[in-house]
Amino acid sequence: DLDTERGNELLRTGRIGEVVQRIMAETKPEAAYFHERNGGRAITMVVDASDNAAMVPLLQPFWLELGAKVTASPCMDAADLAEGIGRLT
C-alpha cells in the first residue's frame, strides 16, 4: 500500500509517473496491477525473485521512494511444487 502523503506529493510535483516507471524498470514485473485498497493507493506486482535475498533490492524502491507498506507472498509454479513434493520422500 502506498503512503498517501508521499503519493500526493509525487502527484503535485508531477513525478509519480516517472517514479513508478523507474521502479517497474528495476523490478521487471511479470504483471502489475494498480488499484485501491482500504481507501488508499495500492500496487500488486508479480516478480521473479531467484531467492529470499533477492527480495531486498526488489522491495527497497517501494519503501524509499513511495513510502509503501509491502506484503511479500512467495509463490511457486507447478514445477517448483513438484520438486518440493519430491523432497518430502
Side-chain angles (χ1 to χ4, degrees):
D1 298 344
L2 306 182
D3 178 73
T4 299
E5 290 305 315
R6 182 90 50 99
N8 289 346
E9 179 62 25
L10 289 170
L11 279 168
R12 279 192 288 275
T13 61
R15 294 186 52 239
I16 193 140
E18 173 251 321
V19 169
V20 170
Q21 289 300 321
R22 185 173 1 80
I23 290 172
M24 290 186 63
E26 291 172 9
T27 59
K28 298 174 180 59
E30 295 176 29
Y33 304 95
F34 303 86
H35 54 93
E36 174 280 335
R37 183 175 17 242
N38 300 321
R41 298 177 185 100
I43 304 172
T44 298
M45 290 184 163
V46 177
V47 297
D48 186 18
S50 56
D51 56 37
N52 288 335
M55 296 303 291
V56 175
L58 284 172
L59 299 178
Q60 275 309 108
F62 294 97
W63 290 319
L64 292 173
E65 298 192 57
L66 298 174
K69 293 180 183 176
V70 177
T71 301
S73 301
C75 299
M76 64 185 93
D77 61 19
D80 293 332
L81 177 61
E83 181 180 334
I85 290 171
R87 292 181 187 182
L88 292 174
T89 58

